[in-house]
Amino acid sequence: MSGLCHQRRFYTLDASKLPGGRGHGEPIRLFADLEQDAELIAVFPHKGGRKFLVASAQGRGFVVAEDECLGNTRKGKQVLNVSAPDKACALAVVDGDMVASIGENRKMVIFKLDQVPEMARGRGVRLQRFRDGSLSDLKTFKAQDGLAWLDSAGRAFSLTMKELVDWRGNRSDAGRLAPKGFPRTNKFGGVVRSPSKIPGETALGGEPSPASP
């Protein structure tokens, strides 16, 4: 299993060492040296061979190979190299040729993935520009399939590239207000995230946590 915390580090855990059976599991701090105020923003099984789009709160990011994110120590591996107060904010599995990015200000921009460099580590490039607020979420998608998202009730919505013409642009654009019907959470949905809001206290093992609303 792998996880990305907002302090820009990836942590890798051996799933065979996680507690089994029923119960509430164990705090992740027992398996990784998380800093006191560290908060996981994504948790996912390591498959290998994939690519991730990682981004910071200030809208900087890049594509990184999953195998470059493996941490060999309890202290993890720093991949997104931005300076405080900026922090890691979002991660998406690369699955397409387009990127959709949305900020806390509900402005969305769509651009081609080939505008984003692939790196092993660094600050990356500006994905979206914000006058106020910061990045909320991002995802990749195939142009021929259009952009899809889930609302708070789990219902799926999608728009074709023709319907998305007003939001198409280039990376570092500010974007336009999100399409009608987009969730007020400013999240696309369908991304594996930390089930706990308590910094560093995600429980591992035991029964699965209920899905977030």
Side-chain angles (χ1 to χ4, degrees), residues 22 87 111 123 177 190 213:
R22 302 176 67 86
K87 59 186 180 182
F111 54 91
R123 297 177 63 208
L177 288 177

Side-chain angles (χ1 to χ4, degrees), residues 51 93-98 113 140-142:
K51 293 183 179 181
V93 177
V94 172
D95 184 23
D97 53 354
M98 304 297 295
L113 180 65
T140 66
F141 64 98
K142 298 180 178 69

Side-chain angles (χ1 to χ4, degrees), residues 134-176:
S134 59
L135 179 70
S136 181
D137 200 10
L138 51 74
K139 72 173 297 182
T140 66
F141 64 98
K142 298 180 178 69
Q144 64 266 31
D145 295 338
L147 175 63
W149 65 83
L150 299 176
D151 68 6
S152 59
R155 295 171 298 190
F157 292 82
S158 64
L159 293 176
T160 65
M161 291 301 292
K162 183 176 180 180
E163 294 170 317
L164 292 166
V165 63
D166 290 340
W167 291 271
R168 293 191 63 179
N170 295 294
R171 69 165 185 83
S172 81
D173 286 350
R176 300 184 60 171

Side-chain angles (χ1 to χ4, degrees), residues 9 48 69 76 80 94 120 141 180 194:
R9 288 183 177 273
C69 301
L80 186 59
V94 172
F141 64 98
K180 183 179 179 180
S194 167

Side-chain angles (χ1 to χ4, degrees), residues 87-141:
K87 59 186 180 182
C89 176
L91 177 149
V93 177
V94 172
D95 184 23
D97 53 354
M98 304 297 295
V99 177
S101 175
I102 187 166
E104 293 177 342
N105 57 5
R106 287 190 62 76
K107 288 188 176 182
M108 178 191 296
V109 62
I110 294 172
F111 54 91
K112 292 183 178 180
L113 180 65
D114 62 15
Q115 296 182 19
V116 183
E118 181 172 345
M119 307 168 62
R121 176 179 175 177
R123 297 177 63 208
V125 296
R126 180 77 63 183
L127 303 179
Q128 186 174 2
R129 189 172 301 280
F130 306 102
R131 178 176 297 179
D132 300 305
S134 59
L135 179 70
S136 181
D137 200 10
L138 51 74
K139 72 173 297 182
T140 66
F141 64 98

